[in-house]
Amino acid sequence: NAAQNFRDKLIEGITLGYNPNKINSLINQTLAEPLTWSLNSVRTTQNYAYRESTRANYVNNSEIVGGWKWFAALDGRVCLSCVNQHGREFPLNARLNDHHQGRCTQIPLIDKPERFGLQPPEIELGENWFKNLTRNEQINRMGQAKYNAYLAGEFKFNELSEAYQNDTFGEMLKEASLRSIIGQERANRYYTY
């Protein structure tokens, strides 16, 4: 596709009599799309491979590891689906089905950690972390319309994760839009509000 797009833009530019700088600009725009797709694919595949190899290690040590906890980087880039999943516990047969370019990881749940002299890390649930943010931080992360609907009780925090299918990775989770959670008509009231 990248080679075909390059060819098409070159022909288009020459046919329309554009100068070389304008043709180059058109070509660079079309080449940016495959680069973005490539980076997305590489990051997603690499993170998926790391997570699945980690989970395979947990399964191979199931006499010690009984499950895992979802752990999100609770920073300025985290989506609300990942915040929603943060701190939840999963069995070893469950896959961490983060979205494309997702940065989340698993924390092992050690059976009887005291026998190893370990203390399990305290991981606050993502919903509790969100509730402890300032009102402005909550609005910045959720958006005004979604925040207003959330405060009005239109949806629960655990509805912020939405499953979608991918041909390569199977089911993945992404942040649900307000429209997908409560429907177009009800959401429109909050967008116009």
Side-chain angles (χ1 to χ4, degrees), residues 138-150:
Q138 290 176 346
I139 292 169
N140 285 339
R141 290 175 183 277
M142 205 174 260
Q144 189 69 60
K146 194 183 281 186
Y147 181 74
N148 289 342
Y150 175 65

Side-chain angles (χ1 to χ4, degrees), residues 177-191:
S177 70
L178 181 58
R179 288 182 174 102
S180 69
I181 298 171
I182 66 172
Q184 180 76 42
E185 190 175 315
R186 284 171 50 205
N188 284 345
R189 291 189 304 218
Y190 290 96
Y191 287 116

Side-chain angles (χ1 to χ4, degrees), residues 1-9 27 30-35:
N1 285 345
Q4 181 66 43
N5 289 341
F6 177 91
R7 181 182 158 278
D8 292 347
K9 291 301 176 185
I27 290 170
T30 62
L31 292 180
E33 292 171 16
L35 177 61

Side-chain angles (χ1 to χ4, degrees), residues 1-2 5-6 9 12 18 21-37:
N1 285 345
N5 289 341
F6 177 91
K9 291 301 176 185
E12 175 187 333
Y18 294 157
N21 288 335
K22 186 165 183 172
I23 296 172
N24 189 48
S25 178
L26 290 172
I27 290 170
N28 283 338
Q29 288 172 9
T30 62
L31 292 180
E33 292 171 16
L35 177 61
T36 302
W37 177 87

Side-chain angles (χ1 to χ4, degrees), residues 18 30 38-39 49 54-57 68 73 92 97 112 116 154:
Y18 294 157
T30 62
S38 175
L39 286 171
T54 297
R55 191 171 67 86
N57 192 27
W68 56 270
L92 290 176
N97 54 346
K112 299 179 187 161
F116 302 105
E154 290 277 359

Side-chain angles (χ1 to χ4, degrees), residues 28-99:
N28 283 338
Q29 288 172 9
T30 62
L31 292 180
E33 292 171 16
L35 177 61
T36 302
W37 177 87
S38 175
L39 286 171
N40 181 7
S41 297
V42 168
R43 287 177 178 149
T44 303
T45 303
Q46 188 174 36
N47 289 340
Y48 181 87
Y50 289 157
R51 286 191 295 259
E52 279 301 282
S53 63
T54 297
R55 191 171 67 86
N57 192 27
Y58 294 169
V59 169
N60 286 337
N61 292 286
S62 59
E63 69 281 356
I64 297 170
V65 180
W68 56 270
K69 266 189 186 182
W70 190 299
F71 191 84
L74 300 176
D75 59 13
R77 294 175 34 207
V78 67
C79 78
L80 290 175
S81 175
C82 293
V83 172
N84 175 41
Q85 298 300 319
H86 180 77
R88 290 188 184 190
E89 295 185 7
F90 295 87
L92 290 176
N93 65 349
R95 184 174 65 80
L96 194 151
N97 54 346
D98 202 356
H99 52 80

